[in-house]
Amino acid sequence: MSPLPEKFFELEPMDAHNSALLANVHPADWQNPQPRARYNLVVIGAGTAGLVAAAGAAGLGAKVALVERALLGGDCLNTGCVPSKALIRAARAAAEMNFVRALGGSAERAPDFPTVMERLRALRARMSRHDSAARFSSLGVDVFIGSAQFASPQAVKVSAQSGVHRLNFSRAVIATGARAVIPPIPGLAEAGYYTNETIFNLTELPRRLIVIGSGPIGCELAQAFARLGATVTLVEKSAQFLPREDAAAAAVLLDALHHDGVDVRLRTSVERVTVEGGEKRVQVASHGVVDVLAADAILVGVGRAPNVDGLGLNAAGVKYDRANGIAVDDALRTSNARIYAAGDVCLLHKFTHTADAAARMVIQNALFTVGPLGRRKWSDVIIPWCTYTDPEIARVGLDEKQAAARGVAIDTFKVAMSDVDRAVLDADAASASNRPAGFLKINVRRGTDEILGATLVSSHAGESISEITLAITQRIGLGRLSGVIHPYPTQAEAIRKCADAYRRTRLTPGVKALFERWLRWRR
């Protein structure tokens, strides 16, 4: 079969691994099924939200159609979580070589970048079997590869290699995700740049890399490429990177990036990009001072925009805007009561796990509610997240600024990771202080042990934050966590230490005096 007339993805090099990936998530010989007369659910987009919605609904007996124009698996599998974490693992191995040398070892060679990227492609191809068209077809989902567009408030037309299919539905969910935002920098397009959608196509390490934007993508990849041997400059126009995070957490990461050799330039804007003698030259300005940075590659990571164009949303009666995506209510329902949305196309927090949670909610609300009965609310969802730098930064719930903005009085309990034995034992032997940076900060409603939020900065913050998320969702107070036995030594012990700090505040002079009288009586 001939390829689709439009190119919806860039995948290089076309080696055995990427060929295997395509065979799973965009098979060239795929035959779209004959559409049913009517579907209980039509899902547009086969990223995390779309796949979860399709598989979950089909597993509960619904007649489901799934439409994807590019690669099943979406951003997470193909250009996000999976490849980035494979790269980060290799970068951590490179950092561990410095640890070996600091201990008197002789690890001399950095990881071979082409081999690093081949491993990435191999792992991605292997994991793509879970998201394959064949697997979802075996689950009872009608998989259509082609471009979807609403033909009416209750129908979608799919333009595919084999022609146009019409899918009539009782309910639909839009899960088309988001794409990289490209800033209007003069000369950038002409010079050429990478985004997270293309950076994993690299087979050779760029000697000099400039990263524009310091959100999670920018910070993670800046550190990873620096550890793998590139000279990296991170440019951010704001005074702080990771603006959603606690300023103290960002400060810890800033020190870590400096330690890894990343040249971080805050309060710096990119004015223009030129090419001279085959070299990219990036003009930046900070406090009125102009500088020119030479680079072999530029990575843009300034944010993501929802994919709403070309869907025929007006024909479906679905309200949207290009900046914020599709408008949804607290049940994730659009302005068309038959159509829902999930994932990056409509949510502020553009994470794989929020897309997964939203899709599960959509299944419930779209197919298994009667009026308000059984309806779930997105506002009830507690969302943790993690930036996978080293150290990692994980967050859940309210921080101090948010609590103050909402007029919520809080008490904050903080434990430094330098007071956690396992963190001390794991500390980087190559650092000057040989003491771990990072902390755990837990916020509770003032005068109670009700946990409202937490920030954790540590080597394994993403693994540990779930204990606090569980406590919030199940209304387990911080005092009760003091009684939870944590294996010693682990970095998660920081949670128990915070809980112990809270318990000590309960020991008022009056309570202590009462205990003393009791003990004297017990003699």
Side-chain angles (χ1 to χ4, degrees):
M1 288 186 178
S2 60
L4 287 173
E6 294 186 70
K7 188 176 182 182
F8 293 119
F9 55 87
E10 298 180 51
L11 196 63
E12 297 174 357
M14 198 45 61
D15 60 1
H17 305 305
N18 279 342
S19 295
L21 174 72
L22 279 183
N24 283 328
V25 299
H26 194 101
D29 58 352
W30 185 256
Q31 296 286 340
N32 286 336
Q34 185 67 30
R36 299 172 186 257
R38 191 174 187 82
Y39 288 96
N40 298 113
L41 188 68
V42 168
V43 182
I44 303 175
T48 297
L51 293 177
V52 171
L60 293 170
K63 296 179 177 64
V64 180
L66 174 66
V67 187
E68 175 56 59
R69 68 180 185 177
L71 305 178
L72 277 80
D75 177 74
C76 180
L77 171 68
N78 298 291
T79 62
C81 309
V82 169
S84 67
K85 301 314 169 280
L87 186 73
I88 287 170
R89 178 63 188 94
R92 286 201 175 193
E96 286 163 3
M97 289 184 177
N98 292 329
F99 186 91
V100 171
R101 284 191 284 270
L103 296 176
S106 59
E108 299 298 334
R109 292 187 58 201
D112 179 69
F113 189 77
T115 302
V116 167
M117 300 307 286
E118 183 178 8
R119 174 183 179 270
L120 178 156
R121 296 191 299 274
L123 291 173
R124 180 173 60 183
R126 188 172 80 189
M127 296 175 72
S128 71
R129 292 174 294 185
H130 302 295
D131 296 348
S132 69
R135 176 174 180 264
F136 273 76
S137 180
S138 74
L139 296 175
V141 177
D142 283 357
V143 178
F144 292 84
I145 294 182
S147 297
Q149 186 177 50
F150 285 99
S152 76
Q154 296 186 55
V156 169
K157 66 178 182 180
V158 180
S159 300
Q161 298 172 3
S162 56
V164 178
H165 307 280
R166 183 181 178 92
L167 311 180
N168 300 307
F169 61 81
S170 296
R171 298 289 186 272
V173 56
I174 303 167
T176 49
R179 66 190 184 281
V181 171
I182 307 303
I185 299 172
L188 178 64
E190 293 78 6
Y193 59 87
Y194 293 98
T195 68
N196 73 295
E197 295 163 3
T198 55
I199 193 72
F200 303 112
N201 292 342
L202 285 173
T203 56
E204 297 294 333
L205 179 70
R207 186 166 59 90
R208 298 163 299 180
L209 175 67
I210 292 179
V211 180
I212 302 174
S214 63
I217 292 173
C219 288
E220 288 177 5
L221 295 185
Q223 185 180 50
F225 275 93
R227 287 178 159 190
L228 290 169
T231 299
V232 179
T233 303
L234 181 63
V235 180
E236 171 55 51
K237 65 181 180 180
S238 301
Q240 175 189 318
F241 51 58
L242 297 176
R244 291 180 185 170
E245 304 299 347
D246 183 284
V252 172
L253 181 56
L254 178 62
D255 287 342
L257 292 177
H258 284 156
H259 177 69
D260 285 317
V262 179
D263 179 10
V264 180
R265 303 202 178 193
L266 302 176
R267 297 189 180 91
T268 302
S269 60
V270 178
E271 303 294 307
R272 67 178 58 253
V273 181
T274 58
V275 179
E276 299 179 18
E279 179 181 80
K280 303 179 198 297
R281 300 182 68 80
V282 181
Q283 181 178 308
V284 299
S286 180
H287 301 290
V289 178
V290 175
D291 194 8
V292 176
L293 310 175
D296 301 295
I298 299 170
L299 171 63
V300 176
V302 297
R304 300 186 60 73
N307 291 322
V308 293
D309 293 332
L311 294 175
L313 296 175
N314 291 330
V318 173
K319 295 181 180 179
Y320 71 96
D321 68 67
R322 287 185 172 82
N324 300 308
I326 293 173
V328 293
D329 64 13
D330 206 20
L332 300 181
R333 184 174 51 189
T334 73
S335 52
N336 180 334
R338 292 182 175 271
I339 300 174
Y340 291 72
D344 293 0
V345 74
C346 64
L347 299 179
L348 172 64
H349 298 297
K350 300 186 189 308
F351 307 125
T352 294
H353 49 284
T354 52
D356 182 300
R360 294 168 189 264
M361 183 176 292
V362 162
I363 296 170
Q364 173 75 21
N365 291 346
L367 301 178
F368 299 102
T369 58
V370 178
L373 297 177
R375 185 176 299 165
R376 297 174 58 196
K377 297 179 180 180
W378 187 248
S379 57
D380 291 337
V381 173
I382 303 298
I383 302 171
W385 67 80
C386 182
T387 299
Y388 297 93
T389 47
D390 187 10
E392 296 177 350
I393 300 177
R395 262 276 309 280
V396 65
L398 298 181
D399 63 11
E400 289 96 323
K401 285 185 179 180
Q402 291 172 321
R406 298 184 189 186
V408 178
I410 63 172
D411 294 317
T412 300
F413 298 91
K414 184 176 180 179
V415 170
M417 295 308 291
S418 58
D419 293 329
V420 178
D421 290 354
R422 181 59 184 269
V424 173
L425 297 169
D426 287 344
D428 181 4
S431 67
S433 66
N434 196 26
R435 291 176 61 80
F439 58 85
L440 170 62
K441 188 186 294 185
I442 297 180
N443 301 316
V444 300
R445 192 179 300 276
R446 180 159 295 170
T448 77
D449 72 343
E450 179 190 354
I451 302 174
L452 300 180
T455 297
L456 175 57
V457 184
S458 72
S459 298
H460 309 290
E463 304 290 344
S464 300
I465 199 69
S466 292
E467 181 179 345
I468 302 172
T469 306
L470 176 65
I472 295 174
T473 57
Q474 299 304 307
R475 301 184 183 277
I476 300 170
L478 183 56
R480 289 179 62 190
L481 292 184
S482 179
V484 175
I485 299 174
H486 292 72
Y488 176 88
T490 58
Q491 295 200 20
E493 240 197 327
I495 298 171
R496 184 187 58 76
K497 286 180 174 288
C498 256
D500 287 347
Y502 164 79
R503 292 290 294 269
R504 286 193 292 272
T505 67
R506 303 297 90 188
L507 190 61
T508 63
V511 172
K512 186 175 181 181
L514 182 63
F515 285 165
E516 289 174 347
R517 287 197 296 271
W518 168 261
L519 292 172
R520 283 196 298 269
W521 179 82
R522 292 279 294 178
R523 289 178 185 172

